[in-house]
Amino acid sequence: MPLTLRSRANDVSSRMLGGIERVGNKLPHPFILFVYLALLVIVASGVTSLFDVTVENPESGETEPVRSLLTGDGLVYMLTSALDNFVQFPPLGLVVVMMLGIGLAQQVGLIESAVKRVILAAPPRLVTAAVVLTGICGNLASDAAFIVIPPLAALVFRAVGRHPLAGLAAGFTAAGAGFSANFFVAGTDVLLSGLSTEAAGIVDSGAEVSPVANWYFMVASVVVLTLIGVFVTEKIVEPRLGTYRGEDEEDDAAALERSQVTPEQRRGLRNALLAIGAYLLFVVACVIPSSSPLRGEGGSLVESPLLDGIVPLLFLLFVVGAVAYGVTVNALRSSGDVPRYMAEAAKNLGGFLVLIFAAAQAIAYFEWSRLGLWVAVNGAELMESLDVSGVGGLVGFSLITLVLSLLIASGSGLWAIEAPIFVPMFMLQDVNPAYVQLAYRIADSSTNCIVPLSPYVAIMLGFIQQYDRRAGLGTLFALVLPYTVAFYVGWMLLFVAWLLLGIPIGPGEALHLS
């Protein structure tokens, strides 16, 4: 990177990132944040109840008082409901089941081999598109995409005579800023939809947000974000980087050679693809008959057992592919290896379980006390008085999320805080919670690469310093900021256009509830 570019980037962006980092460092761990939030709800419910505050329940039409958690009834509720709040929290079972399937695919090497195969097999003129596309869809492997894709992309870029930092930037930002988009339903869809369902229950106990609620839009997003990523890489980032002159070409060549997919792994990928194809054909064959038990009333596929059972169906899809691949490459030598690998994958859920326990209590207190309903009703009335609703309200909400996501690195943690407030508020404005969730996902994903508290920012800086030893946070910021801005603006324009055209964002999803 030219010295002038490095100096200018470090002067401006280091100060900006430093300020965000100082503020973010003052925030507690997300678990502690939810403990504080629960305490705040307890105190607020007690204070509010002293003023005999009431709220009209939109579901029953009855006027109900805000209940204090600082009473005998409140204490009994908190003690007797703690286990149920955790065990019955919607995201818990959904995420655990999905991560067992995806974790098995990771443990046997299926996802990593697929990523390498796509990137390394791409013709030179399509390398950028292959890197960005693979990075975006890499969220199937969750955070592992941040570790595998960027350094591999740098090696491939250098092998075809291009600047390795451009490959690093393209791979890192695609995996980060495009984290929510995918051709497939991933663990993120399951986790966020569970939190959205819990929040929607504050207003409507029967409301449910499906894991496929954003699927149509996210499939289109993969294509749009890939085009944006290619444009930013080739027209903005690479021209500013200039020509790379390194001294370790032999080391890079050896590393690239070690990254190649072996013939055995290629056979494993082929067999996995065949097995997944056969599985999907079987599911389709079960759904085709109009009298199929997987269809809903009147033969509907929108409200049907098929969509209700989408999580176990996806779990089986990953298991089928993982077993076919694992058997081929000898990663699975006996049936006992399957549960062993799943158990290894389950170890990564420890942090999630701890966070969810605290979040489940805070959200349950918010709902039981009726503070959540009171905030939602009054917030909806404020939005109506300001004439902020629908598309305009969702855009405004995404901007709020954009700022908060720079301070709270955990995407699920931030949504667990925002959902109980904004989902009911928008529902009372007749806005489908699936659309609120989508507006959140766009903003939260777009900033993933510039969150100072994210551990992957430090990892990315280490990757960059392999090619530029004098690089700092300013260098990293200068590389990824064009992607962050372009992804957010392009994604939001797609979102607004999608809404104005009235296209469903997922099966049976419309902007308005009525």
Side-chain angles (χ1 to χ4, degrees), residues 342-417:
M342 285 186 178
E344 285 294 318
K347 291 179 181 178
N348 297 325
L349 291 169
F352 165 76
L353 295 177
V354 170
L355 175 64
I356 285 299
F357 178 79
Q361 308 309 319
I363 294 174
Y365 297 170
F366 204 48
E367 183 174 355
W368 184 88
S369 66
R370 301 195 183 104
L371 268 181
L373 185 60
W374 181 79
V375 170
V377 170
N378 285 276
E381 291 176 353
L382 177 61
M383 290 174 63
E384 186 175 3
S385 66
L386 296 175
D387 196 25
V388 178
S389 61
V391 177
L394 290 171
V395 172
F397 165 65
S398 78
L399 292 172
I400 294 173
T401 299
L402 199 70
V403 175
L404 293 177
S405 64
L406 294 173
L407 304 175
I408 301 177
S410 170
S412 58
L414 178 56
W415 184 231
I417 294 172

Side-chain angles (χ1 to χ4, degrees), residues 265-330:
Q265 290 171 333
R266 285 198 292 270
R267 288 194 300 272
L269 289 171
R270 179 201 63 198
N271 291 343
L273 188 61
L274 290 173
I276 289 173
Y279 170 76
L280 291 175
L281 286 175
F282 173 75
V283 173
V284 170
C286 291
V287 172
I288 286 178
S290 58
S291 59
S292 169
L294 294 179
R295 289 178 176 267
E297 187 176 349
S300 172
L301 289 175
V302 175
E303 295 183 3
S304 64
L306 176 69
L307 289 189
D308 291 341
I310 193 67
V311 170
L313 287 173
L314 289 170
F315 165 76
L316 289 174
L317 182 145
F318 283 106
V319 170
V320 166
V323 169
Y325 178 88
V327 169
T328 304
V329 302
N330 291 320

Side-chain angles (χ1 to χ4, degrees), residues 13 28 88 97 448 470:
S13 56
Q88 296 175 11
V97 171
N448 272 340
R470 293 171 294 178

Side-chain angles (χ1 to χ4, degrees), residues 104-178:
L104 177 62
Q106 283 184 259
Q107 292 291 323
V108 300
L110 170 59
I111 294 178
E112 183 175 346
S113 294
V115 166
K116 291 180 178 180
R117 180 62 174 163
V118 172
I119 294 177
L120 296 174
R125 61 188 177 86
L126 295 178
V127 163
T128 308
V131 166
V132 176
L133 177 64
T134 306
I136 292 171
C137 294
N139 67 57
L140 279 174
S142 190
D143 293 351
F146 290 100
I147 307 299
V148 175
I149 295 173
L152 181 60
L155 293 173
V156 173
F157 264 55
R158 189 167 183 189
V160 296
R162 297 170 63 181
H163 204 297
L165 289 187
L168 272 174
F172 179 62
T173 52

